Amino acid sequence: MATKIIAEAGVNHNGSLELALKLVEEAKLSGADSIKFQTFKSESLASFSAPLAQYQKESNSYKSQIDMLKSLELTDKDTKRIFSFCNEIGIEFMSSPFGVDELHFLLDLGMLSIKIPSGEITNHALISEIGKSIKEENRSAYLSTGMSSLGDIEKALSHLHIRENLERITIMHCVSSYPAPNKDLNLKVLGTLQNCFSCKTGYSDHSENIVAPIISIALGASVIEKHLTLDKDLPGPDHKASITPKLFAKMVSD
């Protein structure tokens, strides 16, 4: 079975359309099948009093979570341009919606693969809408499981109508640490997920190297997601847990 490789651009564009388009170019040149962004409205995602996580404090000078998110938010016009550019150069566009409105915006664009981020695994209103979409419109869903329990995963899968959509759902093992130390990656969870849910599995990697994604393939993962950056020293929350295009291309080759 072929391995699907997703370049996670995430918010590594730092709110710049020009940088986002460059990430699309580099993902294509590196051999990725898809490139994934994040679609959110800052005010819907965080309160004005929400503090920064420790790793976020270390990577930028923002005062609060919402202050940071506002600087990383793409406009709908930006997202439409990125979607068109992906089609032009032949790489699949993906984006994680953080709300129902954002989901329908992306579906109306024509996005076929929906990535559910770890932080939304208990957002059952959103997941139920995604479940309807993959059931009625032949789309695929990728469920990231960082910070979750098996019970959380089971409930999310029920909202995705797993019995009817089994072939279109992939459970993504994920460790929500940025960067994630090798000792915490726990790749044997892939086997647990396969045994518990009889579902396709993938691995969303936040480590600083490319060893874990390669090992995960041997453990049954059919999808790899890895953060891509143009420069690990850029300001922003995720650059340190990302790899550059040269190393990304080596990962694809390996």
Side-chain angles (χ1 to χ4, degrees):
M1 179 167 52
T3 303
K4 179 171 183 169
I5 299 181
I6 303 169
E8 166 70 278
V11 293
N12 282 348
H13 49 74
N14 287 359
S16 162
L17 175 60
E18 182 181 359
L19 191 55
L21 296 177
K22 183 63 177 173
L23 282 163
V24 173
E25 266 188 343
E26 292 296 340
K28 174 66 176 178
L29 291 171
S30 298
D33 301 295
S34 312
I35 182 163
K36 190 187 81 64
F37 293 87
Q38 296 178 3
T39 302
F40 58 86
K41 302 301 180 189
S42 303
E43 290 85 353
S44 300
L45 196 57
S47 72
F48 285 91
S49 60
L52 293 164
Q54 185 58 42
Y55 80 93
Q56 294 169 340
K57 292 177 183 176
E58 293 169 357
S59 58
N60 60 59
S61 57
Y62 302 115
K63 297 175 183 177
S64 66
Q65 188 73 224
I66 199 163
D67 183 38
M68 180 187 72
L69 289 171
K70 279 183 173 294
S71 74
L72 302 173
E73 186 178 323
L74 292 168
T75 66
D76 290 352
K77 184 178 179 181
D78 289 341
T79 301
K80 289 176 181 178
R81 176 68 188 109
I82 295 165
F83 180 84
S84 296
F85 186 60
C86 287
N87 286 339
E88 288 169 21
I89 69 171
I91 186 170
E92 182 189 26
F93 169 89
M94 295 176 64
S95 188
S96 291
F98 284 78
V100 173
D101 289 344
E102 291 90 334
L103 169 67
H104 286 296
F105 166 71
L106 293 168
L107 296 180
D108 288 345
L109 270 185
M111 188 177 76
L112 297 177
S113 300
I114 307 165
K115 172 72 189 304
I116 303 165
S118 293
E120 302 305 308
I121 196 167
T122 56
N123 185 344
H124 297 146
L126 172 62
I127 295 175
S128 291
E129 284 296 302
I130 294 171
K132 291 177 190 175
S133 175
I134 62 174
K135 183 179 179 181
E136 297 168 4
E137 301 173 30
N138 201 28
R139 302 177 197 264
S140 298
Y142 300 83
L143 177 67
S144 208
T145 59
M147 304 177 289
S148 63
S149 67
L150 287 176
D152 292 330
I153 298 169
E154 183 176 27
K155 187 168 286 188
L157 290 173
S158 72
H159 286 285
L160 288 174
H161 307 289
I162 185 172
R163 291 182 180 177
E164 301 99 311
N165 296 318
L166 189 62
E167 287 304 309
R168 292 195 287 259
I169 296 171
T170 303
I171 306 174
M172 305 288 288
H173 172 48
C174 176
V175 176
S176 294
S177 183
Y178 301 83
N182 283 346
K183 66 182 178 63
D184 294 338
L185 298 182
N186 198 14
L187 295 180
K188 283 190 174 183
V189 165
L190 286 163
T192 301
L193 295 173
Q194 291 153 13
N195 291 333
C196 286
F197 303 112
S198 302
C199 207
K200 290 185 289 186
T201 56
Y203 176 52
S204 181
D205 185 48
H206 294 146
S207 72
E208 292 188 274
N209 56 62
I210 61 173
V211 175
I214 295 165
I215 292 172
S216 72
I217 298 300
L219 294 173
S222 59
V223 180
I224 295 297
E225 181 183 49
K226 183 77 171 171
H227 280 261
L228 177 68
T229 182
L230 301 180
D231 183 348
K232 288 174 70 73
D233 292 325
L234 284 170
D238 294 340
H239 294 285
K240 296 295 184 190
S242 307
I243 58 174
T244 57
K246 183 177 180 180
L247 189 56
F248 198 100
K250 179 171 177 8
M251 180 188 75
V252 174
S253 174
D254 288 355

